[in-house]
Amino acid sequence: MNNSHKPYPFNHHRTQLFILVRGVVQGVGFRPFVYNLAKGLGLAGQVANTGRGVEIQVQGTGEILSSFLDQLRNSPPAASRIDSIQIRWDQEAVPVSTFTIIASENGHATTLIPPDLATCDDCLTEILDPADRRFDYPFTNCTNCGPRLTIIRKIPYDRSRTSMVYFQMCPQCKREYEDPGDRRFHAQPNACPVCGPRVSWHDRYGRLLTDNNSAVLNSCATALARGYIVAIKGLGGFHLAVDGSSEQAITRLRQRKKRPDKPLAIMAKDLNSLKSKKICRLKPDEEDLLQSRERPIVLLAKRGPDLNEPLAPGMAMLGVMLPYTPLHHLLFARNECPALLVMTSGNKSGAPICTENEEALSELAGIADFFLLHNREIVTRVDDSVARVGAGRTRLIRRARGYAPLPVTFNGTDRAMLGCGAELKNTFCMTRPGEAFVSQHMGDLKGPDNMVFFEESICYYKKTLDISPEVVVRDLHPDYLSSRFADATALPCNRVQHHQAHAGAVMAEHRLDECLAVVYDGAGLGSDGTIWGGEIFHIRQGRCLRMVHLYPFSLPGGDHATREIWRIALSLLHEAGLAGGQRSWLPPELAALDTGKKKTILTMIEKKVNSPPCSSMGRLFDGISALLGIRQQVTFEAQAAMELESLALQATFSPGDHSCPEAVTGSIATDGATITMDHRPLLRRIAADRQKGIKTADLALFFHHWLIRTTTAAIDRICLSGWEKKQDAPPIVLAGGCFQNRILLESLVNELENRGFRVYSGEKIPVNDGGIALGQVLLAGYALK
Ligand code: ZN
Ligand code: ZN
Ligand code: FE
């Protein structure tokens, strides 16, 4: 075996190389690339997809073989990712005269499942060209683009193991498929209007109206232009689409979907039309992300309070994506089609997105006016990914289409493990030596049918990746459905605390063994039985020490307080000694609170009745939002916190007026070995400032600044007692859902980097609960080492 670079020890003797290429090398045009490369250099041999990767045998002499290897390393197909190249050689091999591609073998499936890729420029040109045989054909693809994970049943990846098996290639498609010089050489989902899948157009009752490809697309564009809601079967599931510039249509969609405020993502015809609509600000790295082959929904800063308000009410950001299948491109190519379409997941509130025609017709009845269906089965459900650019890096918020199920390089245990994740925004994670596979976004496991999706997906990953977990890992919380699932397996079960798992996810992604982890998150069960979510841990070799936490406050009514956040506001007032009497500075909604109701809540807090203590930063954000009068109830997770951030971005704050040393000084208290971040001085300061009539937006930003300063002060204090020199302190990890907040992430990264710390946060793996499963396997793995 030889993994090193030059020089190669080949000479003028005829040598045979055995090369194993591992990584994302199947379904991305790798074999044709190797074939053409070898042919071009006049080398003989063969190439095959096996369960281990791509295996190549080539015969030739010194320089030519070196040139072959150089090009293999340096110019592989754009969609591929080479993780390793292993080479053996033999100078006694039986000479062969040609280069051939060998059909796949049924091996152990230790290779990767490629993710779905957005339509490439070559395919796009074809479908828009009236002279091309694929003109207007919505299932056009090639080795560089098209469906993968969503159609693959088993690997090695071959047509017979995908949902394309039911479509027999016509002679012309077959010729392309077999011609090594063709862009569709061994493109497994290859199809054309003659032989491939078809779309069909149905009314709200599911009655077929037409199944002529072009007529379907025309009808769909017309319906959208008229403001109808259309359920469109896509790549990894259904979308519900409406005209993104029609407030009426959007309102109707929100009513029918019972989704009053939650932001809706839009798809824009292309980058130019997005720019000309002037609905959001675009930076160059955001443009790149929008146009990347993964095509995530990208969160962009909204521009002006205008037509985009109904899309994401109260939010500073708007989710935007560009077309990623031929169907999308062909719809937008119709003159009538609106240039902005709302494209939201086609599900009933909380349920997984529909993938089957019959299922969609019944689940989305009463929501959709028309259905655009097709007859290519979706094997694996995959949502749109959501990403943004923060502190100079691409950061995934929901990791699914285009990214999953590619593994992250994993330094943890070699044992096969299954991390079951948390409950909201669930993902699970499976490991094999050197690789951790984080599943695509599963959603809220409590939603109807989501557990079925979770269990089916675990089976799919086990089967396709050929992993049999020896150990399962779950959250400390015994009632999460993922925890119950873990307990019900017959495997040894490890537990990892929720917020430590958040830190573990960032550590796994950046391969850190030790860190100071700032975890600001929603509620999760702590090791002491109380609710955590605002802590700083010192983590080393899997051992976690809780160094800092938020000063605890109670959550009157438990889970009720998560929705009725005015309860948290009362609890914070109570802690700060501000709950009694008439408070003129309170927002009207809080001031007008029924005195009886208020009394009951305060009694609950005092008597500790159904009022568990918590140190959750997410809940502090909620409480502050309620105190500032931003809102008193939430309809989806993190709504109030996102609005607080959005409002802070409108502040006209000059730090001189509000710099607040006393709040910071009083905000850090040391109690034995632990440090608390005390919000009571902050509350008193907010009360005083509101009395002075300081603007809510300024106070919203002030709160962010308070948090940033208090955090850096806490880290300084830890370092003071823990390490002689700051350079000796471990890197800082920022994890938990609160770090989706841009102000918090960017300012804290800046502050800490300026102080000489190395700072890491989630990039490919979300900082929210979507990363928990990865953190679980990393931290539990130490115990097994
Ligand atoms: Zn293509
Ligand atoms: Zn065909
Ligand atoms: Fe969490």
PDB file of all heavy atoms in Angstrom, residues 228-255:
ATOM      1  N   TYR A 228     -53.425  30.036  -7.395  1.00  0.00           N
ATOM      2  CA  TYR A 228     -53.786  28.747  -6.812  1.00  0.00           C
ATOM      3  C   TYR A 228     -52.611  28.128  -6.056  1.00  0.00           C
ATOM      4  O   TYR A 228     -51.447  28.430  -6.310  1.00  0.00           O
ATOM      5  CB  TYR A 228     -54.235  27.764  -7.903  1.00  0.00           C
ATOM      6  CG  TYR A 228     -55.597  28.082  -8.467  1.00  0.00           C
ATOM      7  CD1 TYR A 228     -55.728  28.570  -9.761  1.00  0.00           C
ATOM      8  CD2 TYR A 228     -56.744  27.901  -7.693  1.00  0.00           C
ATOM      9  CE1 TYR A 228     -56.966  28.866 -10.290  1.00  0.00           C
ATOM     10  CE2 TYR A 228     -57.990  28.204  -8.213  1.00  0.00           C
ATOM     11  CZ  TYR A 228     -58.103  28.685  -9.509  1.00  0.00           C
ATOM     12  OH  TYR A 228     -59.328  28.982 -10.016  1.00  0.00           O
ATOM     13  N   ILE A 229     -52.953  27.216  -5.143  1.00  0.00           N
ATOM     14  CA  ILE A 229     -51.933  26.467  -4.409  1.00  0.00           C
ATOM     15  C   ILE A 229     -51.737  25.134  -5.109  1.00  0.00           C
ATOM     16  O   ILE A 229     -52.699  24.385  -5.315  1.00  0.00           O
ATOM     17  CB  ILE A 229     -52.377  26.214  -2.945  1.00  0.00           C
ATOM     18  CG1 ILE A 229     -52.608  27.551  -2.227  1.00  0.00           C
ATOM     19  CG2 ILE A 229     -51.345  25.357  -2.209  1.00  0.00           C
ATOM     20  CD1 ILE A 229     -53.251  27.405  -0.849  1.00  0.00           C
ATOM     21  N   VAL A 230     -50.489  24.847  -5.503  1.00  0.00           N
ATOM     22  CA  VAL A 230     -50.213  23.602  -6.220  1.00  0.00           C
ATOM     23  C   VAL A 230     -49.275  22.731  -5.388  1.00  0.00           C
ATOM     24  O   VAL A 230     -48.247  23.205  -4.899  1.00  0.00           O
ATOM     25  CB  VAL A 230     -49.568  23.881  -7.594  1.00  0.00           C
ATOM     26  CG1 VAL A 230     -49.368  22.578  -8.356  1.00  0.00           C
ATOM     27  CG2 VAL A 230     -50.416  24.847  -8.408  1.00  0.00           C
ATOM     28  N   ALA A 231     -49.648  21.471  -5.223  1.00  0.00           N
ATOM     29  CA  ALA A 231     -48.750  20.504  -4.586  1.00  0.00           C
ATOM     30  C   ALA A 231     -47.903  19.891  -5.692  1.00  0.00           C
ATOM     31  O   ALA A 231     -48.434  19.318  -6.646  1.00  0.00           O
ATOM     32  CB  ALA A 231     -49.550  19.424  -3.871  1.00  0.00           C
ATOM     33  N   ILE A 232     -46.588  20.056  -5.582  1.00  0.00           N
ATOM     34  CA  ILE A 232     -45.683  19.597  -6.638  1.00  0.00           C
ATOM     35  C   ILE A 232     -44.784  18.492  -6.094  1.00  0.00           C
ATOM     36  O   ILE A 232     -44.072  18.694  -5.104  1.00  0.00           O
ATOM     37  CB  ILE A 232     -44.803  20.764  -7.150  1.00  0.00           C
ATOM     38  CG1 ILE A 232     -45.681  21.879  -7.716  1.00  0.00           C
ATOM     39  CG2 ILE A 232     -43.804  20.276  -8.188  1.00  0.00           C
ATOM     40  CD1 ILE A 232     -44.914  23.109  -8.185  1.00  0.00           C
ATOM     41  N   LYS A 233     -44.834  17.339  -6.755  1.00  0.00           N
ATOM     42  CA  LYS A 233     -43.943  16.259  -6.332  1.00  0.00           C
ATOM     43  C   LYS A 233     -42.541  16.575  -6.834  1.00  0.00           C
ATOM     44  O   LYS A 233     -42.325  16.782  -8.024  1.00  0.00           O
ATOM     45  CB  LYS A 233     -44.405  14.922  -6.899  1.00  0.00           C
ATOM     46  CG  LYS A 233     -43.582  13.736  -6.387  1.00  0.00           C
ATOM     47  CD  LYS A 233     -44.137  12.425  -6.915  1.00  0.00           C
ATOM     48  CE  LYS A 233     -43.357  11.233  -6.377  1.00  0.00           C
ATOM     49  NZ  LYS A 233     -43.877   9.969  -6.947  1.00  0.00           N
ATOM     50  N   GLY A 234     -41.582  16.622  -5.931  1.00  0.00           N
ATOM     51  CA  GLY A 234     -40.230  17.037  -6.307  1.00  0.00           C
ATOM     52  C   GLY A 234     -39.246  15.901  -6.213  1.00  0.00           C
ATOM     53  O   GLY A 234     -39.556  14.746  -6.515  1.00  0.00           O
ATOM     54  N   LEU A 235     -38.045  16.240  -5.746  1.00  0.00           N
ATOM     55  CA  LEU A 235     -36.940  15.295  -5.695  1.00  0.00           C
ATOM     56  C   LEU A 235     -37.027  14.425  -4.445  1.00  0.00           C
ATOM     57  O   LEU A 235     -37.043  13.204  -4.533  1.00  0.00           O
ATOM     58  CB  LEU A 235     -35.648  16.131  -5.683  1.00  0.00           C
ATOM     59  CG  LEU A 235     -34.331  15.470  -5.970  1.00  0.00           C
ATOM     60  CD1 LEU A 235     -34.348  14.808  -7.327  1.00  0.00           C
ATOM     61  CD2 LEU A 235     -33.232  16.537  -5.929  1.00  0.00           C
ATOM     62  N   GLY A 236     -37.110  15.059  -3.280  1.00  0.00           N
ATOM     63  CA  GLY A 236     -37.121  14.302  -2.034  1.00  0.00           C
ATOM     64  C   GLY A 236     -38.456  14.343  -1.330  1.00  0.00           C
ATOM     65  O   GLY A 236     -38.597  13.863  -0.210  1.00  0.00           O
ATOM     66  N   GLY A 237     -39.462  14.924  -1.974  1.00  0.00           N
ATOM     67  CA  GLY A 237     -40.781  15.016  -1.364  1.00  0.00           C
ATOM     68  C   GLY A 237     -41.613  16.080  -2.059  1.00  0.00           C
ATOM     69  O   GLY A 237     -41.173  16.656  -3.057  1.00  0.00           O
ATOM     70  N   PHE A 238     -42.805  16.338  -1.518  1.00  0.00           N
ATOM     71  CA  PHE A 238     -43.705  17.323  -2.118  1.00  0.00           C
ATOM     72  C   PHE A 238     -43.413  18.729  -1.609  1.00  0.00           C
ATOM     73  O   PHE A 238     -43.007  18.912  -0.470  1.00  0.00           O
ATOM     74  CB  PHE A 238     -45.160  16.973  -1.784  1.00  0.00           C
ATOM     75  CG  PHE A 238     -45.777  15.995  -2.745  1.00  0.00           C
ATOM     76  CD1 PHE A 238     -45.450  14.647  -2.660  1.00  0.00           C
ATOM     77  CD2 PHE A 238     -46.648  16.407  -3.736  1.00  0.00           C
ATOM     78  CE1 PHE A 238     -45.993  13.734  -3.548  1.00  0.00           C
ATOM     79  CE2 PHE A 238     -47.207  15.504  -4.623  1.00  0.00           C
ATOM     80  CZ  PHE A 238     -46.879  14.160  -4.540  1.00  0.00           C
ATOM     81  N   HIS A 239     -43.647  19.693  -2.485  1.00  0.00           N
ATOM     82  CA  HIS A 239     -43.677  21.094  -2.092  1.00  0.00           C
ATOM     83  C   HIS A 239     -45.105  21.601  -2.238  1.00  0.00           C
ATOM     84  O   HIS A 239     -45.841  21.115  -3.095  1.00  0.00           O
ATOM     85  CB  HIS A 239     -42.833  21.952  -3.044  1.00  0.00           C
ATOM     86  CG  HIS A 239     -41.378  21.969  -2.729  1.00  0.00           C
ATOM     87  ND1 HIS A 239     -40.417  21.672  -3.667  1.00  0.00           N
ATOM     88  CD2 HIS A 239     -40.709  22.258  -1.593  1.00  0.00           C
ATOM     89  CE1 HIS A 239     -39.225  21.776  -3.113  1.00  0.00           C
ATOM     90  NE2 HIS A 239     -39.368  22.129  -1.855  1.00  0.00           N
ATOM     91  N   LEU A 240     -45.460  22.602  -1.454  1.00  0.00           N
ATOM     92  CA  LEU A 240     -46.660  23.373  -1.738  1.00  0.00           C
ATOM     93  C   LEU A 240     -46.183  24.691  -2.310  1.00  0.00           C
ATOM     94  O   LEU A 240     -45.364  25.388  -1.694  1.00  0.00           O
ATOM     95  CB  LEU A 240     -47.468  23.596  -0.459  1.00  0.00           C
ATOM     96  CG  LEU A 240     -48.211  22.356   0.037  1.00  0.00           C
ATOM     97  CD1 LEU A 240     -48.652  22.538   1.482  1.00  0.00           C
ATOM     98  CD2 LEU A 240     -49.413  22.037  -0.853  1.00  0.00           C
ATOM     99  N   ALA A 241     -46.663  25.014  -3.518  1.00  0.00           N
ATOM    100  CA  ALA A 241     -46.177  26.203  -4.207  1.00  0.00           C
ATOM    101  C   ALA A 241     -47.312  27.201  -4.400  1.00  0.00           C
ATOM    102  O   ALA A 241     -48.448  26.809  -4.693  1.00  0.00           O
ATOM    103  CB  ALA A 241     -45.585  25.818  -5.557  1.00  0.00           C
ATOM    104  N   VAL A 242     -46.980  28.494  -4.201  1.00  0.00           N
ATOM    105  CA  VAL A 242     -47.891  29.586  -4.597  1.00  0.00           C
ATOM    106  C   VAL A 242     -47.049  30.757  -5.068  1.00  0.00           C
ATOM    107  O   VAL A 242     -45.846  30.817  -4.811  1.00  0.00           O
ATOM    108  CB  VAL A 242     -48.807  30.128  -3.459  1.00  0.00           C
ATOM    109  CG1 VAL A 242     -49.864  29.145  -3.071  1.00  0.00           C
ATOM    110  CG2 VAL A 242     -47.999  30.602  -2.269  1.00  0.00           C
ATOM    111  N   ASP A 243     -47.721  31.696  -5.727  1.00  0.00           N
ATOM    112  CA  ASP A 243     -47.082  32.926  -6.179  1.00  0.00           C
ATOM    113  C   ASP A 243     -46.494  33.662  -4.972  1.00  0.00           C
ATOM    114  O   ASP A 243     -47.226  34.060  -4.062  1.00  0.00           O
ATOM    115  CB  ASP A 243     -48.137  33.795  -6.882  1.00  0.00           C
ATOM    116  CG  ASP A 243     -47.546  35.099  -7.418  1.00  0.00           C
ATOM    117  OD1 ASP A 243     -46.369  35.385  -7.120  1.00  0.00           O
ATOM    118  OD2 ASP A 243     -48.268  35.805  -8.140  1.00  0.00           O
ATOM    119  N   GLY A 244     -45.184  33.870  -4.979  1.00  0.00           N
ATOM    120  CA  GLY A 244     -44.507  34.482  -3.842  1.00  0.00           C
ATOM    121  C   GLY A 244     -44.719  35.978  -3.744  1.00  0.00           C
ATOM    122  O   GLY A 244     -44.313  36.599  -2.767  1.00  0.00           O
ATOM    123  N   SER A 245     -45.327  36.593  -4.759  1.00  0.00           N
ATOM    124  CA  SER A 245     -45.582  38.043  -4.668  1.00  0.00           C
ATOM    125  C   SER A 245     -47.043  38.340  -4.376  1.00  0.00           C
ATOM    126  O   SER A 245     -47.431  39.496  -4.328  1.00  0.00           O
ATOM    127  CB  SER A 245     -45.197  38.762  -5.968  1.00  0.00           C
ATOM    128  OG  SER A 245     -44.129  38.130  -6.583  1.00  0.00           O
ATOM    129  N   SER A 246     -47.848  37.307  -4.196  1.00  0.00           N
ATOM    130  CA  SER A 246     -49.266  37.535  -3.962  1.00  0.00           C
ATOM    131  C   SER A 246     -49.598  37.324  -2.492  1.00  0.00           C
ATOM    132  O   SER A 246     -49.587  36.211  -1.983  1.00  0.00           O
ATOM    133  CB  SER A 246     -50.106  36.580  -4.822  1.00  0.00           C
ATOM    134  OG  SER A 246     -51.401  36.460  -4.277  1.00  0.00           O
ATOM    135  N   GLU A 247     -49.894  38.439  -1.831  1.00  0.00           N
ATOM    136  CA  GLU A 247     -50.178  38.368  -0.405  1.00  0.00           C
ATOM    137  C   GLU A 247     -51.407  37.493  -0.147  1.00  0.00           C
ATOM    138  O   GLU A 247     -51.447  36.714   0.802  1.00  0.00           O
ATOM    139  CB  GLU A 247     -50.396  39.775   0.137  1.00  0.00           C
ATOM    140  CG  GLU A 247     -50.343  39.799   1.642  1.00  0.00           C
ATOM    141  CD  GLU A 247     -50.278  41.205   2.221  1.00  0.00           C
ATOM    142  OE1 GLU A 247     -49.871  42.140   1.510  1.00  0.00           O
ATOM    143  OE2 GLU A 247     -50.647  41.339   3.394  1.00  0.00           O
ATOM    144  N   GLN A 248     -52.388  37.623  -1.060  1.00  0.00           N
ATOM    145  CA  GLN A 248     -53.621  36.837  -0.926  1.00  0.00           C
ATOM    146  C   GLN A 248     -53.322  35.342  -0.955  1.00  0.00           C
ATOM    147  O   GLN A 248     -53.804  34.574  -0.134  1.00  0.00           O
ATOM    148  CB  GLN A 248     -54.519  37.152  -2.114  1.00  0.00           C
ATOM    149  CG  GLN A 248     -55.670  38.029  -1.773  1.00  0.00           C
ATOM    150  CD  GLN A 248     -56.604  38.138  -2.985  1.00  0.00           C
ATOM    151  OE1 GLN A 248     -56.205  37.865  -4.123  1.00  0.00           O
ATOM    152  NE2 GLN A 248     -57.824  38.527  -2.729  1.00  0.00           N
ATOM    153  N   ALA A 249     -52.532  34.953  -1.948  1.00  0.00           N
ATOM    154  CA  ALA A 249     -52.216  33.537  -2.106  1.00  0.00           C
ATOM    155  C   ALA A 249     -51.455  33.022  -0.889  1.00  0.00           C
ATOM    156  O   ALA A 249     -51.699  31.921  -0.395  1.00  0.00           O
ATOM    157  CB  ALA A 249     -51.410  33.322  -3.381  1.00  0.00           C
ATOM    158  N   ILE A 250     -50.527  33.841  -0.407  1.00  0.00           N
ATOM    159  CA  ILE A 250     -49.724  33.434   0.748  1.00  0.00           C
ATOM    160  C   ILE A 250     -50.617  33.276   1.984  1.00  0.00           C
ATOM    161  O   ILE A 250     -50.494  32.307   2.742  1.00  0.00           O
ATOM    162  CB  ILE A 250     -48.591  34.450   1.012  1.00  0.00           C
ATOM    163  CG1 ILE A 250     -47.612  34.445  -0.168  1.00  0.00           C
ATOM    164  CG2 ILE A 250     -47.858  34.134   2.299  1.00  0.00           C
ATOM    165  CD1 ILE A 250     -46.626  35.592  -0.163  1.00  0.00           C
ATOM    166  N   THR A 251     -51.513  34.242   2.164  1.00  0.00           N
ATOM    167  CA  THR A 251     -52.421  34.172   3.305  1.00  0.00           C
ATOM    168  C   THR A 251     -53.273  32.906   3.241  1.00  0.00           C
ATOM    169  O   THR A 251     -53.454  32.217   4.248  1.00  0.00           O
ATOM    170  CB  THR A 251     -53.336  35.413   3.336  1.00  0.00           C
ATOM    171  OG1 THR A 251     -52.495  36.564   3.266  1.00  0.00           O
ATOM    172  CG2 THR A 251     -54.161  35.462   4.590  1.00  0.00           C
ATOM    173  N   ARG A 252     -53.759  32.595   2.029  1.00  0.00           N
ATOM    174  CA  ARG A 252     -54.586  31.391   1.881  1.00  0.00           C
ATOM    175  C   ARG A 252     -53.778  30.140   2.238  1.00  0.00           C
ATOM    176  O   ARG A 252     -54.237  29.252   2.935  1.00  0.00           O
ATOM    177  CB  ARG A 252     -55.113  31.299   0.447  1.00  0.00           C
ATOM    178  CG  ARG A 252     -56.282  30.352   0.304  1.00  0.00           C
ATOM    179  CD  ARG A 252     -57.116  30.648  -0.926  1.00  0.00           C
ATOM    180  NE  ARG A 252     -56.305  30.777  -2.124  1.00  0.00           N
ATOM    181  CZ  ARG A 252     -56.278  31.841  -2.914  1.00  0.00           C
ATOM    182  NH1 ARG A 252     -57.025  32.877  -2.634  1.00  0.00           N
ATOM    183  NH2 ARG A 252     -55.520  31.874  -3.976  1.00  0.00           N
ATOM    184  N   LEU A 253     -52.537  30.100   1.774  1.00  0.00           N
ATOM    185  CA  LEU A 253     -51.676  28.954   2.088  1.00  0.00           C
ATOM    186  C   LEU A 253     -51.460  28.838   3.599  1.00  0.00           C
ATOM    187  O   LEU A 253     -51.563  27.762   4.186  1.00  0.00           O
ATOM    188  CB  LEU A 253     -50.333  29.091   1.371  1.00  0.00           C
ATOM    189  CG  LEU A 253     -49.291  28.012   1.677  1.00  0.00           C
ATOM    190  CD1 LEU A 253     -49.773  26.646   1.192  1.00  0.00           C
ATOM    191  CD2 LEU A 253     -47.946  28.340   1.033  1.00  0.00           C
ATOM    192  N   ARG A 254     -51.192  29.973   4.244  1.00  0.00           N
ATOM    193  CA  ARG A 254     -50.970  29.963   5.693  1.00  0.00           C
ATOM    194  C   ARG A 254     -52.207  29.463   6.432  1.00  0.00           C
ATOM    195  O   ARG A 254     -52.105  28.681   7.374  1.00  0.00           O
ATOM    196  CB  ARG A 254     -50.597  31.361   6.181  1.00  0.00           C
ATOM    197  CG  ARG A 254     -49.174  31.782   5.842  1.00  0.00           C
ATOM    198  CD  ARG A 254     -48.789  32.991   6.682  1.00  0.00           C
ATOM    199  NE  ARG A 254     -47.416  33.433   6.452  1.00  0.00           N
ATOM    200  CZ  ARG A 254     -46.341  32.840   6.959  1.00  0.00           C
ATOM    201  NH1 ARG A 254     -46.483  31.776   7.723  1.00  0.00           N
ATOM    202  NH2 ARG A 254     -45.137  33.314   6.710  1.00  0.00           N
ATOM    203  N   GLN A 255     -53.382  29.934   5.975  1.00  0.00           N
ATOM    204  CA  GLN A 255     -54.607  29.500   6.653  1.00  0.00           C
ATOM    205  C   GLN A 255     -54.824  28.004   6.474  1.00  0.00           C
ATOM    206  O   GLN A 255     -55.062  27.277   7.429  1.00  0.00           O
ATOM    207  CB  GLN A 255     -55.813  30.258   6.099  1.00  0.00           C
ATOM    208  CG  GLN A 255     -55.922  31.658   6.671  1.00  0.00           C
ATOM    209  CD  GLN A 255     -56.875  32.530   5.872  1.00  0.00           C
ATOM    210  OE1 GLN A 255     -57.331  32.146   4.790  1.00  0.00           O
ATOM    211  NE2 GLN A 255     -57.165  33.706   6.405  1.00  0.00           N
TER     212      GLN A 255
END
